[in-house]
Amino acid sequence: MPETTLPVFLVDKLPPMDSVIFDGEEARHAVTVRRMRVGERILLSDGAGGLVRCVIDGVQGGRDPALGLQIEERWVEPPPALRVNVVQALAKGDRGELAVELATEAGVDTIIPWRAARSVAKWEEGARGEKALARWRNTARAAAKQARRAYVPPVLEPVTTRELVTLIEFADLALVLESGITERLTDLTLPATGELLLVVGPEGGITDEELTTLSDAGAHTVRLGPTVLRTSTAATVALGALGALTTRWN
């Protein structure tokens, strides 16, 4: 298991040697913001389960900050047997980014933006949509570092309802969160392994037509509890419940 007291820095590829010079933007943050010192330890992560624990044996400041590192241990954090992939409806303002941040901290495995009928944000094709998607991806990356996760959840391209139907058909279990539904998450028999798809609607809710379409594709519509949750917090609450109800937190 990763050492939760050590700061995590993301790299594209873990160093193959036991002695390495760590530079680039992450190293700049370590030197100028975190003010890391010789003798302190850090974790390098490739965001895909690979981790190395290092001790700092040199610090270079100036215009090109860098750390000299000695690698002490390498390991791979195994992925959960049951993966939870959240389909998050596009939300206005920063609520979508908040949803991504909280879900990442709660352990989501993949995030899929959804162009729901009542989504205020549309993410039109082109530069504006690409910029919005980049913000979600940057948010997931930062939240994974903050939570000291071995995995950075990928944020995929946004899907339409028709494309969501295909994802539901291939999932081992698909759940749609909706208030006012009799069936609760705790009423279901949850799989121990495989791919679970969790669908969260927009601020205005999922339309009746969308609910029918998703249910016809095989999704189960459930509620979490007696209260109505915001679109920015629903996935996080569900991930917590799934962590306790399955082996994900074991």
Side-chain angles (χ1 to χ4, degrees):
M1 295 291 292
E3 299 182 38
T4 57
T5 59
L6 298 183
V8 175
F9 297 94
L10 290 168
V11 294
D12 293 332
K13 185 178 180 180
L14 294 175
M17 308 297 290
D18 291 336
S19 179
V20 63
I21 299 298
F22 176 43
D23 56 11
E25 193 58 37
E26 287 283 270
R28 179 180 297 276
H29 181 80
V31 174
T32 62
V33 179
R34 297 297 297 262
R35 299 187 180 279
M36 306 299 297
R37 295 292 182 260
V38 171
E40 292 185 298
R41 286 171 171 79
I42 66 172
L43 292 178
L44 297 184
S45 168
D46 62 4
L51 293 160
V52 294
R53 187 181 69 229
C54 313
V55 61
I56 300 171
D57 64 2
V59 177
Q60 173 183 303
R63 298 180 60 182
D64 298 304
L67 295 176
L69 303 176
Q70 289 292 328
I71 294 175
E72 297 182 321
E73 184 181 2
R74 303 172 182 269
W75 70 97
V76 176
E77 186 76 9
L82 177 65
R83 289 172 45 85
V84 178
N85 308 306
V86 168
V87 177
Q88 175 66 53
L90 301 182
K92 64 181 179 181
D94 61 358
R95 292 182 183 177
E97 290 162 51
L98 178 60
V100 171
E101 178 182 15
L102 296 177
T104 299
E105 292 178 0
V108 67
D109 294 292
T110 304
I111 298 169
I112 306 157
W114 173 32
R115 291 188 172 107
R118 290 176 176 161
S119 288
V120 176
K122 296 302 181 183
W123 284 24
E124 302 297 343
E125 300 291 343
R128 292 185 64 183
E130 292 173 1
K131 185 178 294 186
L133 179 58
R135 285 198 297 268
W136 279 34
R137 287 172 171 167
N138 290 336
T139 298
R141 181 181 175 90
K145 288 177 58 179
Q146 176 66 32
R148 296 179 173 86
R149 288 190 55 177
Y151 289 86
V152 177
V155 180
L156 306 185
E157 295 286 337
V159 297
T160 63
T161 299
R162 178 177 296 180
E163 291 167 331
L164 176 53
V165 165
T166 301
L167 296 178
I168 290 172
E169 292 172 345
F170 280 94
D172 294 287
L173 177 65
L175 305 177
V176 179
L177 301 182
E178 181 72 6
S179 61
I181 299 297
T182 302
E183 189 171 29
R184 299 174 184 268
L185 176 62
T186 51
D187 296 330
L188 297 179
T189 299
L190 299 171
T193 61
E195 303 283 333
L196 189 153
L197 199 68
L198 185 68
V199 181
V200 179
E203 293 97 330
I206 301 173
T207 67
D208 291 340
E209 182 179 359
E210 287 172 329
L211 283 175
T212 298
T213 298
L214 301 182
S215 296
D216 288 347
H220 297 265
T221 305
V222 296
R223 66 180 301 167
L224 288 173
T227 60
V228 177
L229 298 171
R230 290 179 180 269
T231 186
S232 54
T233 57
T236 305
V237 174
L239 283 160
L242 291 168
L245 293 171
T246 68
T247 61
R248 282 175 57 83
W249 283 359
N250 288 358

